[in-house]
Amino acid sequence: MTTHTGRRASLALAALAGLVSGAVFLGAAELLALLVARTASPILAVGGFVIDIVPQPFKEFAIATFGANDKIALLAGLGLAVVIASAIGGILEYLRSPSGVVIVAIAGVLSTAAVVSRTGVTPLSFLPPVVGTVAASVVLILLGRRLRLWRGTLEGAHADADADADADTASDEAPALGRRGFFRLAGVAGVSAVIVGVASRVVTAATSSVDAIRDALKLPAPRRTLTVPAGAELDVPGLSPLFTPNADFYRVDTALTVPAIDPSTWRLVVDGMVERRVELSFDDLVGMGLDEYGITLTCVSNEVGGGLVGNARWLGVPVRDILRMAGPQAGADMVLSRSVDGYTASTPLSALTDDGLDAILAVAMNGEPLPAEHGFPVRMIVPGLYGYVSATKWLTELKVTTFAADEAYWTPRGYSAEAPIKLSSRVDVPKVGSPVAPGRVPVAGMAWAQPTGVARVEVNIDDTGWIPATISTPVNDESWVQWMYEWDAAPGTHYIAVRAWNKNGQLQEQQRAPIAPNGSTGWHRVLVTVSS
Ligand SMILES: Nc1nc2c(c(=O)[nH]1)N[C@H]1C(S)=C(S)[C@@H](COP(=O)(O)O)O[C@H]1N2
Ligand SMILES: [Mo]
């Protein structure tokens, strides 16, 4: 065995010791999280922290590249970082103890910071990362000691080679002892860490699933259901439905794992600039009486022609009724709504108290309790405001405050503190890229102008002039409408453009604007090829 391969093998074994110690860190932390503080998993906390700190362009890149798998990609990247850092820690510990322990300690401090920044400073939330750090350090120190006993340190290895000539029996036995001790400890610690860690995470995920509770939840019948007028839905194949099925409803949030909230322990706190702090249970809220509302939700990140918009029937309670119980003080102009995962949105107080506007706390979506990804058990929905400034999911607090005093999640990240939804329309059919036969072809799409309402929609074929389209009978001014135009399509390529007018006589903005800082504008225009 040459010194070179011997050295390389020693470093590989040292890296292995580091990986075992890394596994022990995560395994011990997951077990502690399961036992004492479910939300204090270091790996998930660090992932959430990364989501919060990465710059917006990178976030957009991640969403564009990995799509709905962006969070899985993040976890995979994080796993790779853990593997690399652990291996380096193992090698450092072998070369110069206790420098590897310093790496473990740094990981411990960072993950503790991530955990407490997300779950709050409670004694129990410190336990998973701290116990993980201690266990990983002990294992790393012991493995490093055994490895040195077996292989010698690098310097020691040279000394050993020199001493080989007059080797005595004691130094002959030490390497064998070290070798056995190393593999025994590495095997036991590595295997049990993986088993305990995976089992803990699986049990945490399975038992914190609220699916069973949600399925069993019986909501009282609404006092008033939404009236859907005749003609509210046009019959055009391929056109988006008036109500977006829950399974097709877009999802946008910063949550790495979907919060699991048991309605029986859920509380809403209304505090801040109020006469009386109010605390409501789920039964209190539902007991106020549920009504059904049709409201179209829109994301500020929706590009012209995009799909980050959907319409649903929501069962809920007006926010103004809840705020009235607390009594907002004079001078307040904003409500900061907070999610259990720390996400916040800033909504003008007037948008929530206005009698003419149906801002609600929603508990059901399209006839069933809110799906977990859409905010179970309670979320806010405000007609006419982009989701990021109004539609807080997994709601837990309404803080009455001012725009001067408080900032919401997206405000320091390049988005406006106040953001009304912009009057928009889009073409759904013909679908871009699908073949169209010449003759009578329905051209159709959606238009929305919450909370003013869409007055009319116009279509323009090949820039020959704006023609009125037929619009569906609106359910209300807070929901989108469908529009259609019967086109006599001639062979060749054609441009179809659409624009909408709201009930205030306002025309949709033609000038293109990007999604940041407060929503895209521009007329949607698609290229269609008609076969001959
Ligand atoms: N807790 C929480 N609520 C949130 C968000 C979030 O990141 N966290 N994102 C908001 C944004 S940007 C939008 S557009 C809507 C999307 O709601 P949906 O996922 O149910 O469609 O939720 C809003 N509520
Ligand atoms: Mo959004």
Side-chain angles (χ1 to χ4, degrees):
M1 195 201 283
T2 68
T3 318
H4 241 78
T5 54
R7 178 197 162 101
R8 213 176 286 159
S10 296
L11 292 183
L13 288 162
L16 176 68
L19 293 184
V20 169
S21 142
V24 166
F25 188 117
L26 295 179
E30 287 302 326
L31 178 63
L32 263 289
L34 170 64
L35 296 179
V36 300
R38 298 230 154 178
T39 52
S41 154
I43 193 84
L44 295 183
V46 171
F49 179 74
V50 171
I51 290 180
D52 290 352
I53 59 157
V54 292
Q56 189 50 24
F58 187 83
K59 242 181 243 185
E60 275 152 25
F61 163 81
I63 291 169
T65 313
F66 302 112
N69 293 326
D70 58 338
K71 280 152 194 158
I72 293 173
L74 170 76
L75 280 178
L78 217 57
L80 188 65
V82 169
V83 165
I84 293 172
S86 304
I88 292 175
I91 290 171
L92 285 177
E93 180 64 20
Y94 173 62
L95 294 181
R96 202 174 293 275
S97 180
S99 57
V101 174
V102 172
I103 301 272
V104 177
I106 292 172
V109 168
L110 291 181
S111 55
T112 305
V115 165
V116 298
S117 79
R118 301 186 74 74
T119 62
V121 183
T122 70
L124 289 185
S125 61
F126 279 97
L127 272 179
V130 168
V131 170
T133 307
V134 171
S137 303
V138 168
V139 166
L140 190 60
I141 290 169
L142 292 179
L143 284 177
R145 238 184 242 164
R146 280 159 205 211
L147 193 57
R148 274 191 305 277
L149 193 59
W150 168 23
R151 321 277 306 184
T153 57
L154 287 188
E155 299 89 317
H158 291 295
D160 281 355
D162 296 340
D164 254 0
D166 54 5
D168 60 43
T169 29
S171 61
D172 261 359
E173 269 170 22
L177 268 176
R179 182 167 159 276
R180 245 176 290 134
F182 178 83
F183 280 121
R184 199 173 296 149
L185 179 58
V188 169
V191 169
S192 43
V194 169
I195 291 175
V196 166
V198 170
S200 301
R201 181 106 292 274
V202 168
V203 171
T204 305
T207 56
S208 55
S209 156
V210 291
D211 290 353
I213 295 171
R214 180 181 171 274
D215 291 348
L217 187 65
K218 289 270 168 290
L219 293 170
R223 298 179 300 198
R224 180 178 56 78
T225 53
L226 188 66
T227 311
V228 178
E233 186 124 36
L234 302 177
D235 182 20
V236 179
L239 177 60
S240 300
L242 175 64
F243 295 106
T244 316
N246 290 352
D248 300 338
F249 210 97
Y250 80 93
R251 174 186 167 196
V252 171
D253 57 60
T254 61
L256 188 52
T257 53
V258 176
I261 304 164
D262 183 341
S264 68
T265 58
W266 177 86
R267 293 288 180 278
L268 174 71
V269 169
V270 188
D271 57 5
M273 298 171 64
V274 291
E275 298 302 333
R276 300 160 291 279
R277 179 180 186 278
V278 168
E279 192 172 321
L280 294 179
S281 69
F282 188 76
D283 286 342
D284 293 337
L285 178 73
V286 167
M288 292 172 72
L290 299 177
D291 293 309
E292 194 175 46
Y293 301 84
I295 302 170
T296 297
L297 183 61
T298 313
C299 183
V300 70
S301 299
N302 194 43
E303 304 279 0
V304 171
L308 298 181
V309 49
N311 187 44
R313 304 160 174 263
W314 311 94
L315 277 191
V317 176
V319 182
R320 81 179 83 84
D321 293 352
I322 291 153
L323 288 175
R324 198 176 292 138
M325 294 163 71
Q329 292 171 355
D333 64 2
M334 188 258 267
V335 171
L336 192 74
S337 52
R338 182 180 301 274
S339 156
V340 295
D341 68 356
Y343 178 88
T344 50
S346 54
T347 311
L349 180 61
S350 57
L352 300 175
T353 51
D354 190 333
D355 273 334
L357 213 56
D358 292 327
I360 55 166
L361 296 191
V363 297
M365 180 177 184
N366 290 323
E368 48 179 284
L370 287 179
E373 317 80 67
H374 295 291
F376 184 81
V378 181
R379 76 176 306 174
M380 193 153 81
I381 296 287
V382 182
L385 298 182
Y386 283 119
Y388 83 101
V389 287
S390 67
T392 301
K393 305 191 269 190
W394 315 293
L395 182 72
T396 183
E397 184 197 356
L398 296 176
K399 180 185 178 191
V400 179
T401 179
T402 62
F403 279 101
D406 277 298
E407 239 183 9
Y409 182 88
W410 283 108
T411 313
R413 292 174 168 83
Y415 286 84
S416 306
E418 298 189 53
I421 295 171
K422 294 176 182 176
L423 166 58
S424 302
S425 57
R426 72 164 191 231
V427 181
D428 283 358
V429 286
K431 294 240 180 304
V432 177
S434 67
V436 176
R440 287 278 170 191
V441 174
V443 174
M446 314 302 290
W448 55 95
Q450 322 90 300
T452 313
V454 174
R456 57 203 164 94
V457 173
E458 295 169 328
V459 194
N460 195 338
I461 311 284
D462 297 324
D463 297 321
T464 53
W466 292 97
I467 321 156
T470 304
I471 66 171
S472 60
T473 310
V475 172
N476 55 37
D477 292 335
E478 303 169 344
S479 295
W480 61 6
V481 295
Q482 299 171 322
W483 60 267
M484 73 162 293
Y485 169 70
E486 199 81 37
W487 176 37
D488 192 8
T493 58
H494 302 278
Y495 279 106
I496 302 172
V498 64
R499 68 182 192 187
W501 298 77
N502 72 15
K503 290 185 176 170
N504 291 340
Q506 210 170 12
L507 173 62
Q508 182 180 339
E509 175 61 53
Q510 176 180 14
Q511 189 73 39
R512 284 265 171 173
I515 57 174
N518 53 28
S520 64
T521 58
W523 295 341
H524 191 211
R525 186 169 129 119
V526 297
L527 181 66
V528 178
T529 304
V530 179
S531 56
S532 48

